[in-house]
């Protein structure tokens, strides 16, 4: 009995040792033109790439609104229990081409300044040594917002949001995917209390998320997108918090991220000042604090009554 038992133990040890990393036999050979630029082994999944590679979108409040938005912010993030931290300079532009009906938007993670140690590079399967603090260009994300219904009686306001993530971000250091992604969802908002100095509102989103991977047998991963938050407004203060996420369907890498998000906004006639806190609850190993300013002039275009 000793010999069979020993063989079983050896088999289990061997299996455990060599099953920690997925086989890369079916992966596309990205930038495989030199030993120092091989990104074949990267897992294209939200829980294994950089913090902005496959973002969970904002839930929003179901309204296109009347104001334009010009947001500038600095996102300061760190990887939970690992040595990966950095700062992202972000631009976010939204312009209603028709007030309360349709708007276009552009979000740009203009530049990332970060440090990823070799220990974290091993986790994300990036075989390029840590060069110290580095900078990479980020993705440009294009958005369309269309008002579907306005809130009345028992019905919430509803807005269709359609988003395309371009391939402008750099795959160097595993910060972005260098692959397209798109997501489409309905943003809903319903006021539960609506007084002059205090408002309580529930917001939600429901849709679908698609992103490209680097596997021959799974060129696209996808799954449902969801989120819910509660929002409070008191005079010039707005506070909201909630959870959101999406689910991939193949269990490829860590592809079912869930996040907790909270924001605090000080509103003004011309400028809003905001701080946003975000942390991963599943398949998103980062925590961040984003601080910025939002100039929100009235859009000049509106529908006639």
């Amino acid at each position: 009995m000793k010999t069979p038992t020993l063989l079983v133990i050896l088999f289990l040890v061997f299996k455990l040792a060599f099953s920690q990393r997925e086989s890369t036999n079916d992966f596309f050979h990205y930038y495989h033109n030199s030993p120092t630029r091989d990104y074949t082994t990267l897992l294209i999944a939200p829980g294994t790439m950089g913090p902005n590679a496959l973002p969970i979108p904002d839930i929003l409040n179901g309204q296109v609104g009347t104001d334009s938005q010009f947001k500038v912010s600095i996102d300061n993030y760190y990887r939970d229990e690992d040595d990966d931290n950095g700062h992202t300079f972000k631009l976010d532009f939204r312009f209603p081409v028709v007030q309360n009906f349709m708007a276009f938007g552009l979000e740009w993670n203009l530049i990332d300044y970060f440090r990823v140690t070799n220990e974290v590079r091993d986790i994300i399967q990036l075989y390029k040594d840590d060069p110290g603090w580095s900078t990479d260009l980020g993705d440009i994300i294009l958005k369309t917002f269309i008002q579907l219904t306005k809130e009345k009686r028992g019905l919430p306001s509803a807005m269709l949001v359609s988003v395309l993530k371009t391939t402008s971000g750099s795959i160097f250091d595993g910060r972005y995917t260098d692959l397209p992604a798109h997501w489409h969802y309905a943003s809903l908002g319903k006021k539960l209390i609506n007084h002059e100095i205090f408002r309580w509102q529930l917001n939600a989103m429901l849709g679908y998320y698609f992103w490209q991977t680097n596997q021959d047998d799974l060129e696209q991963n996808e799954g449902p997108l969801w989120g819910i938050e509660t929002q409070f407004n008191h005079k010039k203060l707005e506070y909201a918090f909630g959870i959101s996420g999406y689910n991939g369907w193949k269990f490829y890498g860590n592809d079912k991220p869930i996040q907790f998000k909270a924001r605090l906004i000080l509103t003004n006639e011309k400028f809003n000042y905001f701080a946003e806190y975000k942390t991963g609850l599943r398949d998103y190993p980062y925590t961040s604090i984003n601080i910025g300013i939002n100039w929100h002039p009235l859009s000049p275009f509106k529908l006639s009554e």
Side-chain angles (χ1 to χ4, degrees), residues 41-233:
T41 55
L42 280 176
L43 296 176
I44 307 298
T48 51
M49 301 292 290
N52 302 306
L54 292 165
I56 297 175
D58 293 330
I59 297 172
L60 305 176
N61 61 3
Q63 301 177 45
V64 171
T66 61
D67 290 1
S68 302
Q69 295 184 16
F70 300 87
K71 292 183 180 180
V72 178
S73 64
I74 297 291
D75 192 23
N76 307 281
Y77 62 84
Y78 62 91
R79 186 180 176 103
D80 302 341
E81 300 179 0
D82 289 308
D83 195 3
D84 176 355
N85 58 85
H87 316 277
T88 305
F89 180 63
K90 293 189 171 188
L91 302 176
D92 194 347
F93 166 66
R94 178 172 164 182
F95 180 70
V97 292
V98 180
Q99 290 183 20
N100 297 314
F101 179 68
M102 186 175 185
F104 294 122
L106 184 149
E107 180 181 341
W108 189 6
N109 296 312
L110 181 59
I111 193 166
D112 267 350
Y113 181 60
F114 59 93
R115 171 75 188 276
V116 184
T117 64
N118 286 332
E119 289 76 14
V120 176
R121 289 166 182 267
D122 287 342
I123 294 172
I124 66 177
Q125 300 184 175
L126 179 69
Y127 302 127
K128 173 187 173 185
D129 285 340
D130 171 21
W133 283 90
S134 306
T135 57
D136 273 345
L137 294 177
D139 281 328
I140 295 175
I141 299 174
L142 306 176
K143 307 176 182 179
T144 302
F145 310 87
I146 301 174
Q147 195 73 52
L148 299 177
T149 62
K150 294 183 179 180
E151 182 177 355
K152 54 183 178 181
R153 295 184 180 180
L155 297 177
S157 58
M159 175 177 63
L160 176 64
V161 184
S162 185
V163 182
L164 171 65
K165 184 188 79 69
T166 67
T167 60
S168 53
S170 170
I171 199 172
F172 302 150
D173 305 295
R175 308 321 284 171
Y176 297 91
T177 67
D178 197 26
L179 288 166
H182 55 102
W183 49 93
H184 315 272
Y185 64 97
S187 170
L188 308 172
K190 177 61 179 174
K191 297 182 183 68
L192 303 180
I193 298 177
N194 189 21
H195 292 163
E196 289 185 4
I197 62 172
F198 178 77
R199 186 173 79 245
W200 175 28
Q201 176 166 322
L202 286 181
N203 302 321
M205 71 174 172
L206 185 63
Y208 224 72
Y209 201 109
F210 307 82
W211 72 95
Q212 302 300 307
T213 77
N214 56 344
Q215 281 188 296
D216 285 335
D217 62 341
L218 182 68
E219 296 184 19
Q220 177 176 288
N221 204 345
E222 61 194 46
L225 169 68
W226 57 273
I228 187 167
E229 72 173 13
T230 184
Q231 174 185 329
F232 303 94
N233 292 76

Side-chain angles (χ1 to χ4, degrees), residues 213-263:
T213 77
N214 56 344
Q215 281 188 296
D216 285 335
D217 62 341
L218 182 68
E219 296 184 19
Q220 177 176 288
N221 204 345
E222 61 194 46
L225 169 68
W226 57 273
I228 187 167
E229 72 173 13
T230 184
Q231 174 185 329
F232 303 94
N233 292 76
H234 176 63
K235 295 182 178 180
K236 293 187 176 182
L237 285 177
E238 177 181 311
Y239 175 67
F241 62 91
I243 61 171
S244 54
Y246 59 87
N247 289 3
W249 66 272
K250 202 194 175 186
F251 302 96
Y252 169 58
N254 300 321
D255 63 355
K256 293 175 172 54
I258 298 177
Q259 292 175 351
F260 170 82
K261 296 182 181 180
R263 68 175 181 273

